[in-house]
Amino acid sequence: MGGMTDAFQQFENKAGVTFKNRTLLTSAFTHRSYVNESGGGEHNERLEFLGDAVIELVVTHHLYTMYPAKTEGELTSYRAALVNAVMLGGIAAGLGMNECLLLSRGEQKDTGRARQTILANTFEAVVGALYLDQGYATAEAFIVQHVLGRLEEVVASGAWRDAKSAFQEKAQATSGVTPRYETVAATGPDHARQFTVELRVGDTLVATGEGASKQEAEQAAAEKALRA
C-alpha cells in the first residue's frame, strides 16, 4: 500500500486538495471488482452517485450564470460536452487518478474505452468524497478549476454540438433521408457494457460507433460520419 500512499499524495498535489478523511479518499478509488476480489472495504459507486449530482449542479449553475443569452438546449449541449466519459476520463488521467485505482487483476488489464469509463466514474466518486470531506465550496472550486477550465476549448472546437443532430441535418439536406441507428452488439459484464451501433442512411452503412451506452455509441458513430 506504500506505493498507493505515494500515488494518492501525487494526486492530491496535482489536484490541489488534501483529504482529511483518508478512508473516504481510498473508497473513492476502490472499484467494485477490487472489493469482490479482496473481500473488504467499500467500493466507489455510492460516492460516484453523489459526485455526479454535485458536478451537474456546479457545471449547470456556472453555465447558467456565464451565458445569460443561451437557450436551455445550448446550455445542455455545453454541459454534455464537459461531463461526458471521454472528457472526465481524460481529466482524471491528467490528475494521476489512473495510478491510484484499486482494481481487480482482471480489470487492471483493461485499457482503452473500458478504462476511460472507470476513470470518469472515479472522477465523480472523488468529487463526492471531497464534498463529504470538505463541503460544497471546496468541491465547487475543484470542479471549476479542473472541469470548467476546459470550457473555452469545448466551445471553440465546437465539441459541444450534438453530433447526431448535426449529422441528421447534413443527411436530410443532401439525401432527404433520416439516418437510422442500429445496435448490433452488446458485450461485457453489466458494470462495463460495451455497445456497438451501426449508422445507416437508407441501405448504406456510413459508420460504426462504440460506447458504454447506446447513446454514447450513437454519438461516436455520428462523429465518425461527420468526419468522413
Side-chain angles (χ1 to χ4, degrees), residues 1 22 26 41 78 83 93 105-106 145 157 168 178-179 202 214:
M1 202 72 187
R22 309 306 288 177
T26 305
Y78 282 4
V83 301
R105 283 188 290 275
Q145 183 182 348
S157 69
Q168 184 161 326
T178 301
K214 285 180 188 174

Side-chain angles (χ1 to χ4, degrees), residues 25-212:
L25 180 60
T26 305
S27 295
F29 283 112
T30 305
H31 190 254
R32 175 199 282 273
S33 66
Y34 182 84
V35 173
N36 292 345
E37 192 171 87
S38 63
E42 191 181 335
H43 61 69
N44 65 6
E45 286 172 16
R46 282 167 53 84
L47 287 170
E48 179 197 326
F49 168 72
L50 177 62
D52 177 46
V54 177
I55 293 168
E56 182 141 327
L57 177 58
V58 170
V59 170
T60 304
H61 182 204
H62 278 260
L63 290 174
Y64 180 87
T65 311
M66 288 163 76
Y67 296 108
K70 296 280 183 202
T71 65
E72 182 207 355
E74 288 170 306
L75 294 176
T76 302
S77 297
Y78 282 4
R79 185 176 65 196
L82 278 172
V83 301
N84 62 53
V86 175
M87 179 64 88
L88 292 185
I91 295 168
L95 288 172
M97 287 191 186
N98 207 17
E99 291 67 37
C100 300
L101 290 174
L102 294 165
L103 299 164
S104 69
R105 283 188 290 275
E107 291 288 351
Q108 277 166 11
K109 295 190 190 86
D110 260 343
T111 53
R113 186 57 74 99
R115 177 58 63 89
Q116 197 170 47
T117 303
I118 288 173
L119 275 170
N121 294 344
T122 303
F123 185 87
E124 293 175 346
V126 166
V127 169
L130 188 59
Y131 171 73
L132 290 178
D133 193 56
Q134 291 168 44
Y136 182 79
T138 305
E140 180 181 31
F142 175 80
I143 295 161
V144 168
Q145 183 182 348
H146 298 294
V147 180
L148 282 150
R150 309 294 286 271
L151 181 61
E152 221 168 280
E153 73 185 63
V154 161
V155 173
S157 69
W160 59 275
R161 281 205 71 199
D162 173 45
K164 278 178 70 179
S165 310
F167 184 73
Q168 184 161 326
E169 279 170 32
K170 262 205 163 117
Q172 286 176 329
T174 52
S175 64
V177 178
T178 301
R180 281 200 336 273
Y181 295 87
E182 212 171 296
T183 306
V184 291
T187 56
D190 280 349
H191 66 275
R193 293 296 269 173
Q194 195 68 1
F195 294 90
T196 305
V197 164
E198 288 182 350
L199 165 53
R200 294 178 179 274
V201 176
D203 295 331
T204 311
L205 174 62
V206 181
T208 305
E210 291 187 344

